[in-house]
Structures are given as structure tokens and as C-alpha cells.
């Protein structure tokens, strides 16, 4: 069985501050890991992905995430947030044989205060 | 970017009635999915569909559920009859490939069963 845990349901940060969203996964095989974001009144969008190789992956809009096999984690970071980063962020797990059957975390709602 | 459209955005129906949720996937995508999110819970895989057939379904995909995409029109999820526990947001997604984890999602159709 596989699972994804996002321990923070809500995070509030001030504009310009740094942001880190935590994600832990459980999977015995080789994981494919993603962060998806849902902005208000929009569908989920892919922010970044990790398949293998360099554990730090870059995404759109200045986001990056770091994979740690030893910690079973895939935390998301941004150095300086903008008000437009207010959204719900989902950590997602799958594998190369899962047929795009994704396992979602519950999501972290981020509110950026001006 | 490419968009997945879902109709309706919200539907309220009485228990036992039939409902059809419609999805207009990204053109030229071949793989289609439905995911279900009950309020306060994680989004969960329901079914994937390729080449006119259901490829895999989860235990959430009850006998009362069916999917089809007749002749390139909407990809639909039909529930007949509905039950109270079917109240959820249903997300449609599409993909150009089978195992990359990169899906395009719609905004969701919120179903309320009374």
C-alpha cells in the first residue's frame, strides 16, 4: 500500500517570506513524486515532478522540491512568496507501473498575506 | 495551457436519482480519469479509461457507476442510482501518456445528494 501525508492543513505566510510545505510518503517501490497546485476556481496544475536523479527539482514560479529517500520525504520550498501563491498544494505519489493512478495527500492550503 | 472542462460545476439531486457528470478532456489526449474527493478527505482514484474501455477501477467505483466516451464527445461519469455517500467533488483528468503521472485536471463537479 502507498500513502502520502501532508502534516500541515493550513499555512499562512507574509508576502516575501519563505515557504516550506512538508510531505512524507510511504511506498516500498521506486516512487514518482509530484506537487500539484490548485488556484481558486481552477483545476489542479502540475508544479513539479521527480522521477530519479538529482534530488532537488525545479518547478514553475520559483518553486523547488527535494527528494529524500532516507526520510521518505518530498518537501516543497519557495524562497520568497507572492500573494498569487495563495492556493492549495497537493503532494502526489505514483510509480512507473501505476497507470497514472495517483495517491494524493490531503493538501495544504497556503494563504499569503500582503 | 491546455484545459479540461467539467459540466456541471455543482449539482444537487435527490437520493436514488441518476446523475451524469461531463468532462471535455484536452484534445488529443487518450487517457481519461475520474477522481473523487469527499469533503475533508484525500482525493482518491476512481477509474481510468483508454481506447473505449475501463482499464482499472478502484473499490470506490461501485456497480452503480459507469463511464463512457461515445465517439470523441464528452467523457462521462454516470451514477445510477445515487446514494448519500456519493456526495463529493468529482475531478476529471486527462493525459497524453499512461505512466508519467502528469495529468491535466478539471475544476471539479461538486455533487450533493440529499
Amino acid at each position: 500500500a502507498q500513502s502520502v501525508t501532508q502534516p500541515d492543513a493550513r499555512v499562512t505566510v507574509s508576502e516575501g517570506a519563505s515557504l516550506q510545505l512538508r510531505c512524507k510518503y510511504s511506498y516500498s517501490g521506486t516512487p514518482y513524486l509530484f506537487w500539484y497546485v490548485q488556484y481558486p476556481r481552477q483545476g489542479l496544475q502540475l508544479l513539479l515532478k521527480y522521477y530519479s536523479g538529482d534530488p532537488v527539482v525545479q518547478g514553475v514560479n520559483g518553486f523547488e522540491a527535494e527528494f529524500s529517500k532516507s526520510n521518505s520525504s518530498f518537501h516543497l520550498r519557495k524562497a520568497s512568496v507572492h500573494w498569487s501563491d495563495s492556493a492549495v498544494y497537493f503532494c502526489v505519489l505514483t510509480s512507473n507501473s501505476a497507470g497514472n493512478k495517483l495517491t494524493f495527500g490531503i493538501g495544504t492550503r497556503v494563504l499569503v498575506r500582503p | 495551457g491546455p484545459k479540461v472542462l467539467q459540466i456541471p460545476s455543482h449539482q444537487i439531486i435527490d437520493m436514488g436519482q441518476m446523475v451524469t457528470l461531463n468532462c471535455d478532456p484536452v484534445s488529443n489526449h487518450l487517457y481519461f480519469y475520474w477522481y473523487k474527493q469527499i469533503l475533508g478527505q484525500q482525493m482518491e482514484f476512481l477509474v481510468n479509461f483508454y481506447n473505449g474501455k475501463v482499464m482499472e477501477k478502484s473499490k470506490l467505483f461501485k456497480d452503480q457507476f459507469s463511464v463512457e466516451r461515445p465517439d470523441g464527445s464528452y467523457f462521462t461519469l454516470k451514477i445510477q442510482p445515487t446514494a448519500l455517500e456519493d456526495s463529493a467533488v468529482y475531478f476529471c483528468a486527462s493525459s497524453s501518456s499512461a505512466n508519467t503521472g502528469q495529468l491535466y485536471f478539471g475544476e471539479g463537479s461538486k455533487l450533493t445528494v440529499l
Side-chain angles (χ1 to χ4, degrees), chain A residues 1-3 25-33 50-51 67-70 72 93-97:
Chain A
Q2 49 192 14
S3 66
Y25 70 91
S26 174
Y27 180 53
S28 57
T30 300
Y32 285 178
L33 292 157
Y50 174 80
Y51 293 135
F67 169 69
S68 170
K69 186 175 181 179
S70 59
S72 298
L93 165 71
T94 189
S95 69
N96 65 355
S97 60

Side-chain angles (χ1 to χ4, degrees), chain B residues 16-64:
Chain B
Q17 284 190 306
M18 181 193 76
V19 67
T20 300
L21 305 180
N22 299 291
C23 173
D24 187 10
V26 176
S27 62
N28 80 0
H29 279 187
L30 300 176
Y31 301 87
F32 312 115
Y33 311 84
W34 285 101
Y35 282 79
K36 176 182 180 181
Q37 186 177 32
I38 294 173
L39 184 64
Q41 298 183 24
Q42 280 142 302
M43 193 178 308
E44 293 188 270
F45 169 81
L46 274 181
V47 64
N48 59 11
F49 188 86
Y50 169 73
N51 199 26
K53 292 190 293 246
V54 170
M55 301 304 291
E56 186 176 359
K57 53 188 179 182
S58 73
K59 63 182 184 306
L60 299 179
F61 195 83
K62 304 181 298 183
D63 291 343
Q64 297 88 333

Side-chain angles (χ1 to χ4, degrees), chain A:
Chain A
Q2 49 192 14
S3 66
V4 176
T5 302
Q6 294 180 248
D8 305 308
R10 290 176 182 268
V11 171
T12 301
V13 294
S14 298
E15 196 166 23
S18 63
L19 175 70
Q20 175 168 285
L21 302 183
R22 295 179 291 164
C23 171
K24 299 270 285 184
Y25 70 91
S26 174
Y27 180 53
S28 57
T30 300
Y32 285 178
L33 292 157
F34 308 82
W35 280 94
Y36 276 83
V37 59
Q38 187 175 27
Y39 298 105
R41 293 172 297 283
Q42 296 185 30
L44 281 77
Q45 302 171 33
L46 181 64
L47 200 56
L48 48 77
K49 60 185 183 286
Y50 174 80
Y51 293 135
S52 65
D54 189 338
V56 179
V57 290
Q58 305 296 322
V60 298
N61 297 334
F63 284 92
E64 67 175 27
E66 184 166 6
F67 169 69
S68 170
K69 186 175 181 179
S70 59
N71 292 326
S72 298
S73 67
F74 190 58
H75 302 327
L76 181 70
R77 300 188 294 249
K78 185 171 183 178
S80 176
V81 296
H82 186 263
W83 63 266
S84 59
D85 294 322
S86 295
V88 182
Y89 293 79
F90 295 92
C91 184
V92 177
L93 165 71
T94 189
S95 69
N96 65 355
S97 60
N100 283 340
K101 190 169 62 178
L102 309 181
T103 300
F104 281 80
I106 201 161
T108 298
R109 183 174 296 275
V110 173
L111 175 63
V112 180
R113 293 184 302 214

